[in-house]
């Protein structure tokens, strides 16, 4: 085995929040930290990135001045063991734009675009993690074979810290919560 084939040590041991915060933005790109372990994510497809950007732009326009919607940055779900997720779309309080790390109490909604290889994580694992962290809304976007995205919406039950299933939309979302909007994701 050559030295090029050996994975770096950080891929085999738990890292702490302090260690992670010392890493460069480049080192943190394309990864999540789950229970202190680095989870590498493959680069998303153009369709995946476009869906996330269209959704974030529409949510940003609909959210008003108190909320921002952006893509692809860490949300710190817990410090020990360190768990950072990097949702495809995050709606967060505008007054926390310069606060790092972004924590669940800053976040109103997260959305994940399901890709091949992320099905179980996006449909089961993240659904549970985001609910336990107290994030009010979770949306899962499935890239249907028909080309029209399916959007599954979930609303947090704060008493149980679990999500209740909400509406399912095909192509166009017509929502009233967390704010009113009509979002056409079929325009890809």
């Amino acid at each position: 085995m050559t030295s090029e084939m050996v994975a770096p040590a950080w891929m085999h041991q738990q890292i702490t929040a302090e260690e992670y915060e010392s890493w460069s933005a480049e080192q943190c790109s394309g990864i999540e930290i789950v229970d202190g372990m680095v989870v590498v994510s493959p680069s998303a497809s153009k369709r995946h990135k476009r869906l996330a950007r269209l959704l974030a732009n529409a949510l940003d326009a609909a959210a008003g001045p108190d909320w921002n919607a952006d893509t692809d940055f860490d949300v710190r779900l817990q410090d020990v063991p360190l768990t950072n997720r990097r949702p495809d779309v995050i709606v967060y309080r505008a007054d926390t734009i310069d606060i790092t790390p972004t924590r669940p109490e800053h976040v109103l909604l997260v959305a994940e675009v399901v890709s091949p290889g992320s099905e179980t994580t996006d449909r089961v694992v993240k659904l549970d993690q985001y609910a336990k962290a107290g994030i009010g809304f979770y949306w899962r976007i499935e890239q249907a074979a028909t080309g029209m995205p399916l959007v599954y919406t979930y609303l947090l039950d704060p008493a149980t810290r679990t999500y209740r299933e909400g509406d399912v939309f095909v192509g166009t979302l017509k929502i009233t919560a967390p704010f009113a909007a009509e979002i056409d994701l079929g325009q890809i």
Side-chain angles (χ1 to χ4, degrees):
M1 186 185 295
T2 67
S3 62
E4 293 85 31
M5 297 173 68
V6 177
W10 54 261
M11 292 187 79
H12 300 287
Q13 59 194 20
Q14 280 190 317
I15 64 164
T16 66
E18 294 77 24
E19 290 169 321
Y20 183 76
E21 288 162 7
S22 74
W23 291 5
S24 69
E26 183 180 10
Q27 287 173 295
C28 298
S29 179
I31 66 169
E32 292 180 315
I33 309 296
V34 180
D35 294 330
M37 300 302 292
V38 174
V39 177
V40 178
S41 301
S43 185
S45 70
K46 291 182 283 189
R47 177 176 294 277
H48 179 119
K49 289 179 181 181
R50 183 159 175 79
L51 270 170
R53 185 173 51 80
L54 287 171
L55 180 59
N57 290 347
L59 287 170
D60 199 54
D66 293 336
W67 299 99
N68 292 337
D70 285 308
T71 61
D72 193 37
F73 64 81
D74 286 344
V75 175
R76 173 79 46 91
L77 299 182
Q78 66 184 38
D79 289 308
V80 180
L82 179 61
T83 299
N84 283 349
R85 287 296 189 177
R86 191 172 279 242
D88 292 312
V89 178
I90 308 102
V91 177
Y92 60 97
R93 288 192 351 239
D95 64 354
T96 66
I97 193 166
D98 293 318
I99 296 175
T100 303
T102 299
R103 300 213 177 255
E105 58 268 22
H106 305 148
V107 177
L108 176 65
L109 179 150
V110 293
E112 296 285 358
V113 179
V114 178
S115 294
S118 75
E119 293 94 340
T120 301
T121 301
D122 291 341
R123 293 175 185 156
V124 179
V125 177
K126 289 183 179 180
L127 179 79
D128 182 61
Q129 287 179 330
Y130 293 144
K132 283 184 173 40
I135 295 173
F137 295 86
Y138 176 62
W139 293 358
R140 189 183 81 239
I141 298 96
E142 300 275 348
Q143 302 179 66
T146 62
M148 279 294 172
L150 297 168
V151 182
Y152 295 83
T153 64
Y154 301 87
L155 173 64
L156 183 68
D157 178 341
T160 62
R161 291 269 177 144
T162 58
Y163 285 118
R164 292 189 316 253
E165 291 184 14
D167 294 322
V168 177
F169 299 94
V170 179
T172 300
L173 290 84
K174 294 179 183 172
I175 59 168
T176 57
F179 32 75
E182 185 168 328
I183 303 168
D184 181 9
L185 293 180
Q187 61 181 315
I188 301 178

